[in-house]
Amino acid sequence: MGTLIAKPACKSIVSLFSGCGGLDLGFSRAGFNVVWANEYDKEIWETYENNHPETWLDRRDIRTISSDEIPDCIGIIGGPPCQSWSEGGAQRGMNDDRGKLFLEYIRILKDKQPRFFLAENVSGLLHQKHRQALKNIIASFEEAGYTVSFKLLNTQSYNVPQDRKRVIFIGYHLDLDRRFNFDFLQPCTQILTLRDAIWDLQDSAIPALAKTKTNGSACSVP
């Protein structure tokens, strides 16, 4: 587990449903301090801690964590589990326990009252069958005290070598009297390919072990 390090509260943010820490990396590069993160999937813990050694990783089920145990922060980020909304799945939405985890995000947001939040989920959330659920989610964000904007974005338009569409929700606390404007985002003019991103690793690549097991520490990049 990472070491809990005291950092300036004015830049402190909390990460929920953190995965391997992709969102956290982006916010860290933007100058924020991810002081506390939560991820319940044990298969991801080692990856997250390697990527974010200075962040305190809480491994418990988010439903068992009281908001008082989470540090105060200026922002909350995270992507609640997407399987319930995915176009490649059954799309059970809020009828699935994983879909209900969106409510845990909102619970903590309502209790902590940071200045802003960012939540992301799959494009399937915009499917017609989830129209009412989407309205309820937005209403819950608003009832928690936030002005909400959302838009479907593709990461390939923002220097990520992956065709990955995600619904991005951004909310500002009502006290700020402002709304995030997605029109200010500047898509890149050239699509980044996987070759652009990792072709420099080709000379250090080594074959996987039997049954595609990793070579672990023998790899130049873990």
Side-chain angles (χ1 to χ4, degrees):
M1 182 175 287
T3 303
L4 188 61
I5 298 176
K7 297 181 179 180
C10 63
K11 286 283 190 175
S12 296
I13 63 172
V14 159
S15 172
L16 306 178
F17 309 101
S18 304
C20 63
L23 271 179
D24 306 41
L25 177 62
F27 273 84
S28 294
R29 289 181 173 178
F32 292 91
N33 298 318
V34 185
V35 295
W36 186 94
N38 174 256
E39 176 52 55
Y40 187 54
D41 186 345
K42 63 182 180 181
E43 301 297 330
I44 310 179
W45 293 340
E46 183 179 4
T47 300
Y48 185 91
E49 289 175 333
N50 277 327
N51 285 335
H52 302 282
E54 295 186 351
T55 298
W56 180 265
L57 179 62
D58 192 311
R59 306 180 179 192
R60 293 175 293 170
D61 184 335
I62 193 69
R63 293 169 293 189
T64 69
I65 302 174
S66 71
S67 299
D68 291 339
E69 297 179 83
I70 300 174
D72 291 336
C73 55
I74 192 175
I76 292 178
I77 64 174
C82 61
Q83 295 93 332
S84 304
W85 314 99
S86 175
E87 293 177 278
Q91 292 198 332
R92 295 179 59 198
M94 286 297 184
N95 293 321
D96 188 320
D97 286 342
R98 294 169 298 184
K100 293 176 182 177
L101 289 174
F102 223 121
L103 302 180
E104 294 299 317
Y105 185 109
I106 295 170
R107 167 181 68 87
I108 295 170
L109 180 70
K110 184 176 182 180
D111 292 344
K112 302 306 296 185
Q113 292 290 294
R115 308 313 290 161
F116 74 89
F117 75 85
L118 183 148
E120 62 94 15
N121 216 285
V122 295
S123 59
L125 186 57
L126 301 181
H127 194 282
Q128 180 66 25
K129 70 180 295 183
H130 299 313
R131 184 176 180 180
Q132 188 57 51
L134 177 61
K135 287 183 177 180
N136 291 342
I137 288 172
I138 294 172
S140 295
F141 280 139
E142 292 174 342
E143 289 171 6
Y146 294 84
T147 301
V148 184
S149 301
F150 71 95
K151 188 173 183 178
L152 180 67
L153 300 177
N154 193 326
T155 59
Q156 70 174 5
S157 299
Y158 302 96
N159 290 319
V160 177
Q162 184 181 26
D163 184 10
R164 184 182 181 89
K165 295 178 181 178
R166 286 293 184 269
V167 183
I168 307 297
F169 297 87
I170 296 178
Y172 286 130
H173 198 280
L174 289 174
D175 290 348
L176 297 176
D177 191 27
R178 61 186 303 185
R179 179 186 295 274
F180 185 82
N181 186 352
F182 282 95
D183 292 337
F184 284 111
L185 296 181
Q186 294 292 323
C188 55
T189 56
Q190 183 174 353
I191 301 299
L192 189 70
T193 68
L194 195 60
R195 173 190 281 261
D196 296 327
I198 64 171
W199 193 244
D200 60 313
L201 299 178
Q202 61 173 320
D203 294 333
S204 65
I206 53 180
L209 300 178
K211 299 182 179 180
T212 68
K213 297 297 183 182
T214 178
N215 286 278
S217 59
C219 299
S220 60
V221 176

